[in-house]
């Protein structure tokens, strides 16, 4: 196959994934020309810190969507878990880890509550989580007594605002950050080589070897450049370490585990999954328990970042997480999506928001742009399905 033909074939087979990557690159290039500070080390660090909780929520939300559900309550759960942590740490003077454990426990209980109604009672997730959005927001107001609690300070504050810097030295840069990013690039290259060999073993179409090497080199160069920008600023953010761990874990869970395969089976064809012996109720229950856990982690990160717990915290977070998943390639009907795609979708949302804020665009205009981008992403998904069905 010729180089051009090879590229066209791969692009057509991975249209959605290719499209979102091109869109992300285009947005970065556009905002870098429109504002000189967009690609500055300080702004790149701020993007990581400011939007990490949306990426965490998107990891759980994409699993929910793949399973054929939706969760409208995650923003309220973020507020409730942060409120519980604040009452214990700020008001009661408990150690930071007590607040973290309590918030995690609340998130798990929320997941159990919603998973019970969805999986075992059979109420649609849209209704259950809509009720949860109201219920958990009301509980947040009661826990906080309608007032904000601050500051956390100490170790809890460092969860989302701290950095690993200077542990291995460096002259004008943090060596640890560069080493970590270097290991990440090496790991990416190893996985790509292994996947290519597996595809060739099963006689599947792959890109030409020079193109394959070019892809790894380009992605590796971009990742190392990003790592260098962090290294010369404040080092490796704690929240980026947490996010990387979650991405690795959930990529393995969704792509390599029995649970992940069952989630795809349920979302793709529920009757077939039932006939195949998939324990649908148990899987659906665990989907929402997992979403509660990740909402709690996002709540801890957000309250740490804000250094406070607020009754209105997490407002509209669910829509940002849902939008990130659909922009990142998840199908509205379920059964399709990847954690990495959701991360790219969340980065698109983060880049758009940050870029427009730097440009001084009003909040109302930002909402209009986000809405249009989400609509176009879903329309593109529908168009691809119709075109595939017409073949």
């Amino acid at each position: 196959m010729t180089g051009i033909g090879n590229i066209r074939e791969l692009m057509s087979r991975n249209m959605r994934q290719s499209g979102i990557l091109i869109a992300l690159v285009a947005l970065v290039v556009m905002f870098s020309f429109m504002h000189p500070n967009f690609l500055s080390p300080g702004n790149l660090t701020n993007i990581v810190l400011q939007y990490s909780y949306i990426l965490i929520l998107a990891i759980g939300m994409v699993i929910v969507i793949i399973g054929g559900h939706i969760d409208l309550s995650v923003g309220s759960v973020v507020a409730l878990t942060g409120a519980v942590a604040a009452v214990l740490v700020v008001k009661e003077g408990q150690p930071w880890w007590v607040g973290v454990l309590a918030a995690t426990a609340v998130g798990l209980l929320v997941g159990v509550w919603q998973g019970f109604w969805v999986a075992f009672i059979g109420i649609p997730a849209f209704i259950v989580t809509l009720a949860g959005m109201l219920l958990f927001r009301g509980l947040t107001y009661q826990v906080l007594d309608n007032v904000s609690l601050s500051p956390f300070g100490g170790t809890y504050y460092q969860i989302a605002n701290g950095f690993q810097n200077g542990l291995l030295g460096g002259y004008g840069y943090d060596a640890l950050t560069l080493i970590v990013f270097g290991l990440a690039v090496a790991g990416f290259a190893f996985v790509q080589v292994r996947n290519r060999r597996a595809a060739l073993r099963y006689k599947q179409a792959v890109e030409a070897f020079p193109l394959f090497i070019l892809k790894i080199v380009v992605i590796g160069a971009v990742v190392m450049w990003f790592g260098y920008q962090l290294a010369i600023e404040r080092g490796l953010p704690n929240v980026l370490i947490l996010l990387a761990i979650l991405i690795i874990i959930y990529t393995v869970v969704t792509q390599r585990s029995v649970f992940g395969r069952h989630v795809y089976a349920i979302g793709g064809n529920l009757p077939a999954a039932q006939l195949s012996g998939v324990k649908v109720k148990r899987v659906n229950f665990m989907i929402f328990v997992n979403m509660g856990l990740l909402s709690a982690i996002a709540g801890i990160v957000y309250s740490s970042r804000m250094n406070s717990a607020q009754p209105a915290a997490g407002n509209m977070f669910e829509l940002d997480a849902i939008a990130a998943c659909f922009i990142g390639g998840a199908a509205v009907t379920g059964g399709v999506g990847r954690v990495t795609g959701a991360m790219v979708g969340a980065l698109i949302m983060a880049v758009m928001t940050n870029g427009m804020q730097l440009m001084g665009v009003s909040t109302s205009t930002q909402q209009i742009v986000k809405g249009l981008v989400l609509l176009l992403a879903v329309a593109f998904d529908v168009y691809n399905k119709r075109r595939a069905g017409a073949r």
Side-chain angles (χ1 to χ4, degrees), residues 111-176:
V112 168
W113 168 262
Q114 299 197 129
F116 168 77
W117 291 104
V118 173
F120 298 110
I121 304 301
I123 302 176
F126 179 88
I127 301 300
V128 172
T129 58
L130 178 61
M133 179 176 67
L134 303 174
L135 171 63
F136 304 132
R137 182 64 65 181
L139 287 174
T140 302
Y141 281 111
Q142 289 192 349
V143 169
L144 292 177
D145 198 21
N146 293 331
V147 298
S148 299
L149 288 179
S150 64
F152 282 96
T155 304
Y156 194 99
Y157 175 78
Q158 294 299 318
I159 293 174
N161 296 282
F163 295 82
Q164 299 302 315
N165 196 333
L167 295 179
L168 299 179
Y171 298 96
Y173 61 88
D174 179 52
L176 174 64

Side-chain angles (χ1 to χ4, degrees), residues 173-307:
Y173 61 88
D174 179 52
L176 174 64
T177 302
L178 295 180
I179 291 173
V180 169
F181 274 82
L183 292 174
V185 171
F188 170 77
F190 172 78
V191 171
Q192 290 298 306
V193 170
R194 188 183 62 178
N195 291 344
R196 178 183 172 83
R197 288 177 176 174
L200 290 172
R201 190 179 306 120
Y202 290 100
K203 301 186 184 303
Q204 297 176 351
V206 296
E207 64 265 48
F209 188 72
L211 182 61
F212 173 74
I213 296 298
L214 178 63
K215 177 182 71 174
I216 293 178
V217 170
V218 170
I219 293 177
V222 171
V223 171
M224 290 307 300
W225 172 84
F226 177 69
Y228 180 74
Q229 299 304 308
L230 296 182
I232 63 176
E233 178 63 13
R234 285 177 282 178
L236 189 63
N238 291 337
V239 73
L240 186 59
I241 299 173
L242 172 62
L243 187 59
I245 293 172
L246 291 175
I247 292 173
I248 292 171
I249 290 174
Y250 281 96
T251 298
V252 173
V253 167
T254 55
Q255 300 299 316
R256 303 290 181 180
S257 72
V258 174
F259 171 76
R261 290 194 292 270
H262 286 176
V263 172
Y264 279 98
I266 291 171
N269 192 325
L270 178 58
Q274 291 172 327
L275 291 174
S276 299
V278 175
K279 296 180 180 179
V280 175
K281 291 183 179 180
R282 180 183 298 178
V283 173
N284 282 333
F285 178 76
M286 291 307 301
I287 286 173
F288 283 92
V289 171
N290 178 71
M291 187 71 255
L293 171 63
L294 288 174
S295 297
I297 295 174
I300 294 166
V301 170
Y302 182 73
S303 58
S304 171
R305 172 62 181 167
M306 296 294 103
N307 202 23

Side-chain angles (χ1 to χ4, degrees), residues 76-90 99 103-104 106 140 143-144 149 152 156 295-296 298-304 308-310 313:
S76 297
V77 180
V78 166
L80 177 59
T81 51
V84 169
V87 168
L88 291 172
V89 177
V90 178
T104 303
V106 169
T140 302
V143 169
L144 292 177
L149 288 179
F152 282 96
Y156 194 99
S295 297
I300 294 166
V301 170
Y302 182 73
S303 58
S304 171
S308 67
Q310 306 162 1

